[in-house]
Amino acid sequence: MEKIMAIKTDNRLTVPLERLDVKHNFWNNVSKSVSHEKQRDDGPWKQEHQKAEIVNSVQEMLDNLPIFAGTVLPSGVVTFVNDLAVQESSHSKSELIGRVLWDGLWWSHDPAQRERIKNAFNDCVNGSVVRFDVPYEIRDGHDQVRWTDLILRPLFDELGKVKCVLISGMDISERKRQETEQRNAIRESELYFRSLAETLPQIIWTANAAGEINYTNSQWKEYSNSIYPSDWISFAHPEDKDRGRQAWNDSIETGQPLEVDIRLRGKNGSYRWFLLRAVPTKDKSSNIMSWCGSATDIEDRKIQAKELSDAKLEAERANATKSAFLANMSHEIRTPLGAILGFTDLLRDPSTGPEERLGYIDIISRNGKALTHVIDDILDLSKVEAGHLEIERMPFSLPDLLSEITSLFSETVKAKRLYMTLAIDSNVPNQVLSDPARLRQILINIIGNAVKFTSLGGIKVRVESALINSDKSTITISVADTGPGLMRSQQKKLFQPFTQADNTTTRKYGGTGLGLALSRRLAQAMGGNIAISECKLRRGCTFQITIEVEHPKSEAKVIGVITSAGKDDGGVLSKAKVLLVEDALDNQILIKRILTKKGASVDVANNGLEGVEKAMGGNYSIVLMDIQMPIMDGYEAIRKLRSLGYHGTVFALTAHAMAEERKKTANAGYDGHLTKPLDTEALIQTIRDHLHS
């Protein structure tokens, strides 16, 4: 007989199954040997004696095995149990032998286990080897439940029939205990993970090795109103599905972490951006066992990034637009400036005749006014965008203003062989309260553009009025031309600062690109707007100007639209005595020459301190004082004069045209404000108005 060796592993004795096969083969050999001896006809007694010796030897061997062992007849009756099995049962061998296996004392209190063993035994009798784990009881006062790894093997006779069933079992209670502890630890770890996942603001999910999601925290249900999808791609935005699926498949195939941003559909059907991340859990062989991932809402981050990108693009466009504007502005400034300087040099030529000289002077004057207009547009737009523009309220005749504006363009219209009509509805009030200077500026821009861009046909100006209440009305002025019209793309950027319809407009017609932008802002400041009401390519456009006006509550003195001193003779200011406080020699010469030609007596002071001394010692009709001067500037000088009790009229001369500058000079003590470059007629009219004050 071959000896069956026991191997000690994990602090317990085990017997390799292949060694049990030797034992079982031996049992079969025993049967064959008995049959052979019987054929030799050595006598019945000797045969039975030999068989008994063999059986005793086998049973002795089974008693010495470190496992539970026994034999059972095909009927289920136990014929043998080894000592270890008896010891674990807490019963005697005689109590166990002769009992039916599934009624054994080990599992007699568990009907389910008895039925399970009976079914397994029947399978074994039919020729199958059956192996399974089964619990059993130990009656030692503690009613312990132990586990055994039970194996049922059929033993066959020489005819191939099952002679009996060999039962062997190994105590695996310690292994079961460890497995239970491991399962409990895993369960506790899973509960901890899920509790932690519920506290996080992100969506937390897990998936199996194939990528099928098997858990999500409550944040996903809150967002999507579903427990979890087997495939989160089904919730992805149609535009993101292919990209998301490709990234997920790549991670599953390569085992690399997932990171992809996609839009996921929420319970209300809308989509939000999420950053999906996942990392794999791998075994010792680096095989993926599962995935753990998160989905972080990055919608706000995406919006901010887009806003930042849009702002950057807008800044780049604005920078490019302003660069183009500066190039164009350089042209607009240098062109009249070049004419002024060039014709000034020609005036110095002694050979220049009187008629040529007068022509040159007209050219210089015209270009000087054009240059002033460009600078005024820039300053006005700066004031509007800085919020420093103030709209004045004064009475004026609206029909007179409109007639004057249209008459300004009569020569140009006639030269281009165009027509211009002005239609004023009967309900338009004659006198209104508003800012005539700003309205004049708007009309010159809009009507001037219509005249400039129209080559055939003409311009129609129509004025309407709608009563807001007893104190206010809305004035609507429509300017329709028959010019080239505008495309939709051109209309969208028409009212943006520093832009024109396109670059060809600048090359063909010139201009700063500020007129329409400034006009719209002025109209909005006056309670209205400017818009294109109708425009057809190659058929012309209609611009609609709206402003709010007030109705004068009483007959007020209406300010004339055209303010002019007329072509007075040299003695118009013969009674005026003027003190000019100005540090710039050229301005001293210019202003003094203008005033003395009109008959005024002019004294000059070179700085504020000198001006204070002369003003206090003389009897002047008016003092004209520059603001920026050395030694003592204009603000300090006026405060000094007023503190000394000077009550005469003092006007500020400054290149600053901002509304806050006017307030500043008024608060300092000045009676008025004249802006450089000086308007000669306005200067003379101002002095005339204060001759008798």
Side-chain angles (χ1 to χ4, degrees):
M1 181 185 301
E2 183 177 353
K3 185 177 180 182
I4 298 177
M5 300 297 295
I7 302 172
K8 188 174 184 182
T9 62
D10 299 333
N11 297 322
R12 62 179 184 270
L13 290 174
T14 61
V15 177
L17 292 179
E18 62 271 19
R19 309 308 293 165
L20 289 177
D21 288 339
V22 173
K23 176 188 67 177
H24 299 153
N25 292 334
F26 170 75
W27 182 270
N28 290 333
N29 290 335
V30 169
S31 300
K32 292 178 181 179
S33 178
V34 171
S35 300
H36 180 69
E37 291 296 328
K38 185 176 182 180
Q39 290 175 1
R40 289 174 59 187
D41 198 20
D42 288 338
W45 182 87
K46 187 175 182 180
Q47 292 176 8
E48 291 297 328
H49 179 71
Q50 289 176 343
K51 181 177 179 180
E53 286 182 349
I54 292 172
V55 170
N56 289 335
S57 297
V58 171
Q59 290 178 349
E60 183 180 354
M61 178 198 70
L62 293 177
D63 274 334
N64 292 324
L65 288 176
I67 60 173
F68 311 146
T71 56
V72 183
L73 295 175
S75 62
V77 176
V78 177
T79 60
F80 171 78
V81 290
N82 68 354
D83 292 341
L84 187 58
V86 173
Q87 180 183 342
E88 289 295 329
S89 71
S90 300
H91 294 278
S92 65
K93 184 176 290 190
S94 60
E95 290 178 308
L96 298 174
I97 294 176
R99 295 180 68 93
V100 177
L101 177 64
W102 43 90
D103 290 336
L105 299 178
W106 296 282
W107 36 75
S108 59
H109 296 287
D110 190 344
Q113 291 299 337
R114 290 202 303 269
E115 188 66 23
R116 183 183 180 200
I117 291 172
K118 182 179 179 180
N119 294 334
F121 184 80
N122 290 334
D123 290 340
C124 185
V125 170
N126 290 327
S128 300
V129 177
V130 183
R131 182 175 186 176
F132 58 97
D133 297 345
V134 61
Y136 65 93
E137 298 177 355
I138 298 179
R139 299 291 181 175
D140 59 355
H142 300 289
D143 293 340
Q144 298 182 57
V145 176
R146 307 289 295 273
W147 282 85
T148 184
D149 178 11
L150 199 64
I151 303 175
L152 280 66
R153 290 181 178 273
L155 300 179
F156 302 91
D157 61 13
E158 64 275 10
L159 299 177
K161 293 183 179 180
V162 175
K163 190 178 187 72
C164 69
V165 174
L166 175 64
I167 299 179
S168 61
M170 182 181 299
D171 190 336
I172 58 171
S173 300
E174 180 62 22
R175 191 186 80 190
K176 285 289 185 179
R177 184 189 64 79
Q178 292 177 357
E179 289 176 354
T180 301
E181 290 180 353
Q182 187 176 14
R183 282 196 301 271
N184 291 338
I186 292 173
R187 188 177 299 108
E188 289 178 5
S189 176
E190 183 177 348
L191 289 174
Y192 177 79
F193 166 78
R194 296 194 176 193
S195 298
L196 181 62
E198 290 300 324
T199 65
L200 297 175
Q202 290 91 351
I203 295 169
I204 304 298
W205 53 277
T206 59
N208 59 22
E212 296 174 338
I213 293 179
N214 49 33
Y215 164 77
T216 60
N217 62 355
S218 60
Q219 278 75 358
W220 172 252
K221 183 177 181 181
E222 177 65 24
Y223 177 73
S224 66
N225 200 29
S226 64
I227 299 176
Y228 55 81
S230 60
D231 181 10
W232 49 260
I233 294 296
S234 61
F235 281 78
H237 191 281
E239 296 176 2
D240 302 336
K241 280 188 177 181
D242 291 342
R243 182 169 53 85
R245 183 181 289 108
Q246 184 63 47
W248 188 215
N249 290 340
D250 289 346
S251 292
I252 293 173
E253 291 175 5
T254 63
Q256 295 299 312
L258 168 73
E259 183 166 330
V260 62
D261 52 343
I262 63 171
R263 287 163 288 183
L264 295 177
R265 185 179 67 254
K267 57 186 176 184
N268 60 356
S270 63
Y271 290 86
R272 291 182 68 85
W273 280 101
F274 283 84
L275 173 62
L276 267 67
R277 287 175 172 163
V279 292
T281 301
K282 300 180 180 180
D283 59 19
K284 293 181 180 179
S285 301
S286 296
N287 297 316
I288 296 176
M289 298 189 299
S290 62
W291 290 86
C292 182
S294 65
T296 304
D297 190 324
I298 57 170
E299 179 73 14
D300 293 341
R301 191 191 310 173
K302 283 283 186 179
I303 292 174
Q304 291 172 359
K306 187 177 184 306
E307 289 176 348
L308 183 62
S309 176
D310 291 346
K312 182 181 178 182
L313 290 175
E314 184 62 30
E316 290 173 351
R317 281 195 295 266
N319 187 52
T321 301
K322 288 189 178 182
S323 296
F325 163 75
L326 289 175
N328 183 40
M329 193 59 62
S330 175
H331 168 78
E332 291 296 319
I333 292 175
R334 288 177 178 273
T335 298
L337 188 59
I340 292 169
L341 295 175
F343 282 99
T344 300
D345 288 339
L346 290 176
L347 286 174
R348 293 194 181 98
D349 187 351
S351 63
T352 302
E355 290 187 6
E356 283 184 303
R357 190 177 296 273
L358 289 175
Y360 295 163
I361 291 172
D362 286 341
I363 293 172
I364 292 171
S365 176
R366 184 168 62 251
N367 281 275
K369 289 178 180 178
L371 185 58
T372 302
H373 179 70
V374 171
I375 295 171
D376 284 345
D377 276 356
I378 297 172
L379 293 176
D380 282 342
L381 185 65
S382 299
K383 286 186 284 184
V384 171
E385 294 192 338
H388 294 149
L389 182 74
E390 288 192 355
I391 300 299
E392 298 183 8
R393 292 173 62 255
M394 60 180 65
F396 66 96
S397 172
L398 183 58
D400 288 352
L401 175 63
L402 291 163
S403 298
E404 182 230 343
I405 298 301
T406 53
S407 67
L408 286 177
F409 297 98
S410 59
E411 291 298 323
T412 306
V413 168
K414 185 177 179 180
K416 296 181 72 173
R417 297 183 179 181
L418 304 174
Y419 64 82
M420 179 181 286
T421 63
L422 172 63
I424 303 176
D425 283 4
S426 59
N427 64 340
V428 174
N430 181 49
Q431 295 185 23
V432 295
L433 282 175
S434 189
D435 192 329
R438 294 305 181 186
L439 180 57
R440 187 176 190 273
Q441 190 174 354
I442 293 171
L443 292 172
I444 288 175
N445 267 317
I446 301 300
I447 297 175
N449 280 343
V451 173
K452 179 167 63 174
F453 293 112
T454 302
S455 301
L456 294 172
I459 298 93
K460 295 179 180 179
V461 182
R462 183 177 182 83
V463 188
E464 301 169 292
S465 177
L467 198 65
I468 299 175
N469 53 46
S470 59
D471 297 325
K472 289 184 180 180
S473 291
T474 297
I475 303 298
T476 302
I477 305 171
S478 301
V479 180
D481 63 56
T482 57
L486 295 166
M487 293 185 293
R488 289 189 180 274
S489 59
Q490 294 173 324
Q491 294 178 39
K492 289 180 180 179
K493 62 181 181 178
L494 196 61
F495 291 98
Q496 296 176 6
F498 316 121
T499 60
Q500 292 183 317
D502 54 40
N503 291 333
T504 59
T505 302
T506 302
R507 292 194 297 268
K508 185 175 181 180
Y509 297 102
T512 62
L514 292 175
L516 286 175
L518 176 59
S519 296
R520 170 177 273 185
R521 283 161 172 77
L522 291 174
Q524 290 170 344
M526 298 173 72
N529 199 7
I530 297 180
I532 301 174
S533 61
E534 185 180 359
C535 193
K536 294 181 180 179
L537 202 60
R538 292 183 295 276
R539 295 182 63 181
C541 292
T542 299
F543 284 78
Q544 192 172 77
I545 307 162
T546 59
I547 62 168
E548 281 189 8
V549 298
E550 296 182 23
H551 306 151
K553 294 183 179 180
S554 61
E555 286 296 324
K557 179 182 178 181
V558 179
I559 297 176
V561 175
I562 304 176
T563 303
S564 175
K567 295 188 177 295
D568 299 283
D569 57 29
V572 68
L573 298 179
S574 59
K575 297 181 180 180
K577 184 178 180 182
V578 180
L579 174 61
L580 174 61
V581 186
E582 169 67 65
D583 63 313
L585 181 60
D586 291 342
N587 285 337
Q588 288 179 3
I589 296 171
L590 175 63
I591 297 171
K592 186 174 182 178
R593 180 61 177 161
I594 291 171
L595 297 181
T596 54
K597 283 185 67 176
K598 298 298 180 181
S601 171
V602 181
D603 291 338
V604 177
N606 295 299
N607 55 65
L609 181 60
E610 186 179 340
V612 171
E613 294 174 352
K614 288 189 174 183
M616 294 302 296
N619 184 21
Y620 295 102
S621 306
I622 189 171
V623 177
L624 304 176
M625 184 178 292
D626 187 25
I627 293 296
Q628 292 181 320
M629 295 182 293
I631 302 177
M632 181 182 288
D633 66 18
Y635 289 115
E636 188 178 353
I638 189 63
R639 285 192 289 267
K640 184 70 173 176
L641 280 173
R642 298 309 186 197
S643 67
L644 294 174
Y646 187 82
H647 301 294
T649 302
V650 184
F651 263 61
L653 301 179
T654 176
H656 298 293
M658 301 290 190
E660 66 269 18
E661 189 69 21
R662 293 181 180 274
K663 283 185 178 180
K664 189 175 179 181
T665 55
N667 292 335
Y670 284 101
D671 297 293
H673 184 109
L674 292 173
T675 304
K676 297 177 182 179
L678 292 174
D679 183 325
T680 301
E681 292 182 353
L683 173 62
I684 294 170
Q685 187 63 45
T686 298
I687 297 174
R688 291 183 65 184
D689 291 342
H690 291 83
L691 274 177
H692 306 291
S693 60

